[in-house]
Amino acid sequence: MRRFWVGGAFVLLTASAHAQGTVPAAASPAPASQQVVAPVQPARADTAARAGSAWTFVRLVKLPNPGAASLDRRGALYVADADNNLRQYSAEGLLLNTYAPTQPGHVAQVEAWNVSSTLVFNDDRQQLILLDRFLAVITEVRLADYLDGTVRAATLAPDNRIWLLDESDLVLREFDPANLRLVKNTPLDLIIGRSRPDFRFLRHYQNNVYLVDRTTGVYVFDNLGNYRKKLPFAGLSTVGFRGDELYYFDAGAFHFFHLYSLAERRVALPAGVVPGEVRQVLVGESYAYIFTAQGVAVYQL
């Protein structure tokens, strides 16, 4: 049992998770598709409900059909709107800046955690755009000039290099935008085995790279691109990170998975939020953001 600080009071939460077995050890020699995972205890529904009801609604950011989104270390929120402009909001949901690209392109992923630079990946144009903290353009990179395959997901590393998921060749690549060259390549065919992956999201966090496959789970690599293990969270399109926990939204609740103790806890949605309308969630240190077709609901934790 763990204590979780919500809305000015401690709420007791029991460990929970999907009954999918143990997370394999790092550097396990077994193919990811054959690794077995250990059971964990389900969370008590009454505990999760109390946690969700303690959140305080702040405001609704009216933004029809919001797209890819990210948080930076200071808590600022970055959201692509329906026209693929990038909007920057304060932690409380107040508009700060807007980036409007000179050429239209679908924003598949945004990564703003580094603060000093924000990555925008346009999958239809196969283009990377780096912006400064005021959303002014630093550089633009046309990926077709440096690799032959199609990139499905991209994310920014702490050293300002960029991880790319080359879906055509099933290779995880690291690209150096300063010198305009590929510096690392990790083939994925032996790792994924005979499964038919559906890669959706890529994120570098705490010296690891997390690759979300909606079909089988979350593949974990170290900061050199070496495969470590797979987390058994299938059916996801994205994940987030808060402290030492990975989180995601599933089955009407927030799930928090501790990256080192492997414990999992569950927190219910705030009262009045319809689970079927939730498209995405982001959780910062003090605020949480729930994305629906109408916009982004901001809650204080």
Side-chain angles (χ1 to χ4, degrees):
M1 183 174 295
R2 301 179 60 184
R3 295 191 304 169
F4 182 57
W5 184 258
V6 179
F10 279 108
V11 177
L12 296 179
L13 295 176
T14 55
S16 73
H18 305 289
Q20 297 185 26
T22 59
V23 176
S28 172
S33 58
Q34 299 177 16
Q35 293 171 347
V36 182
V37 279
V40 274
Q41 299 300 316
R44 290 173 48 190
D46 60 335
T47 302
R50 288 199 302 273
S53 63
W55 293 11
T56 302
F57 176 75
V58 177
R59 64 172 46 85
L60 174 66
V61 178
K62 294 182 179 180
L63 191 67
N65 297 313
S70 180
L71 294 173
D72 69 20
R73 292 177 188 269
R74 299 165 302 180
L77 172 68
Y78 300 73
V79 186
D81 63 22
D83 295 321
N84 292 296
N85 302 312
L86 184 65
R87 297 174 180 246
Q88 180 191 52
Y89 297 89
S90 68
E92 300 83 2
L94 301 176
L95 183 63
L96 301 176
N97 293 295
T98 300
Y99 164 69
T102 56
Q103 295 179 305
H106 176 255
V107 178
Q109 192 162 342
V110 177
E111 179 51 63
W113 185 250
N114 283 9
V115 176
S116 61
S117 58
T118 297
L119 174 70
V120 177
F121 169 53
N122 292 332
D123 57 350
D124 55 350
R125 301 184 64 227
Q126 291 289 284
Q127 182 183 43
L128 303 173
I129 304 171
L130 286 174
L131 309 172
D132 66 18
R133 65 193 186 98
F134 301 107
L135 301 189
V137 176
I138 298 173
T139 188
E140 298 182 9
V141 177
R142 185 171 172 268
L143 290 172
D145 294 336
Y146 305 98
L147 70 159
D148 296 328
T150 299
V151 172
R152 179 70 183 271
T155 193
L156 194 61
D159 59 2
N160 288 321
R161 290 182 176 179
I162 299 170
W163 290 100
L164 308 171
L165 188 279
D166 183 344
E167 190 174 49
S168 300
D169 296 330
L170 283 180
V171 177
L172 178 65
R173 305 186 188 276
E174 190 177 31
F175 180 76
D176 181 357
N179 296 302
L180 298 175
R181 63 188 182 93
L182 295 168
V183 292
K184 292 187 181 72
N185 298 283
T186 301
L188 302 178
D189 49 354
L190 295 179
I191 296 172
I192 64 176
R194 295 185 178 182
S195 66
R196 304 183 70 175
D198 181 7
F199 296 121
R200 296 295 186 91
F201 185 78
L202 190 60
R203 176 78 190 275
H204 190 133
Y205 187 76
Q206 290 189 354
N207 294 320
N208 284 320
V209 180
Y210 296 83
L211 174 60
V212 176
D213 173 20
R214 188 173 177 82
T215 303
T216 62
V218 182
Y219 293 88
V220 184
F221 304 81
D222 66 18
N223 58 3
L224 298 178
N226 300 309
Y227 174 69
R228 299 190 63 207
K229 59 188 175 184
K230 186 181 70 172
L231 305 179
F233 305 135
L236 304 180
S237 294
T238 183
V239 297
F241 296 89
R242 183 176 186 266
D244 289 338
E245 292 179 302
L246 174 152
Y247 67 83
Y248 58 92
F249 177 76
D250 185 48
F254 294 89
H255 295 255
F256 291 82
F257 174 79
H258 199 282
L259 298 172
Y260 307 107
S261 70
L262 309 185
E264 185 172 353
R265 59 188 176 89
R266 188 181 66 193
V267 179
L269 282 171
V273 177
V274 180
E277 295 180 355
V278 177
R279 295 185 172 184
Q280 184 182 175
V281 297
L282 289 176
V283 183
E285 289 301 315
S286 302
Y287 295 89
Y289 309 89
I290 298 178
F291 294 69
T292 66
Q294 289 72 44
V296 183
V298 182
Y299 288 84
Q300 187 170 19
L301 301 177

